Amino acid sequence: MPPMRDIAPFIAVTSTVNELLAQYPSTAAILNAYGVDTCCGGTLSLRDAASDAGADLTTLLAMLEAHAFAPAPGSLGATP
């Protein structure tokens, strides 16, 4: 199997859970929903954390990206 590349254009699979949370704190809810350990597993890469949680990495990254880069409510890019 070829090595996993970064699926989401802005979130690297090699980023750690802690790095993601530091940059996008609101993603904690998604990580928790997918069973990713955001405490003791924070030093793991997203790839390893997803694997440990039994979460599909492609789906997890898509959800994280959609949440992290969604326009804030009330901003010009948000839909009413």
Side-chain angles (χ1 to χ4, degrees):
M1 182 162 101
M4 181 67 101
R5 61 183 177 81
D6 291 347
I7 296 170
F10 301 106
I11 298 176
V13 296
T14 55
S15 296
T16 68
V17 172
N18 285 341
E19 290 169 342
L20 178 69
L21 290 171
Q23 190 165 9
Y24 306 105
S26 63
T27 60
I30 292 170
L31 293 170
N32 290 328
Y34 280 85
V36 173
D37 184 354
T38 58
C39 179
C40 298
T43 59
L44 295 176
S45 69
L46 291 174
R47 178 190 295 127
D48 292 341
S51 177
D52 285 359
D56 178 73
L57 182 59
T58 303
T59 304
L60 176 61
L61 285 174
M63 293 298 294
L64 289 169
E65 181 185 58
H67 187 78
F69 301 108
S75 70
L76 293 178
T79 55

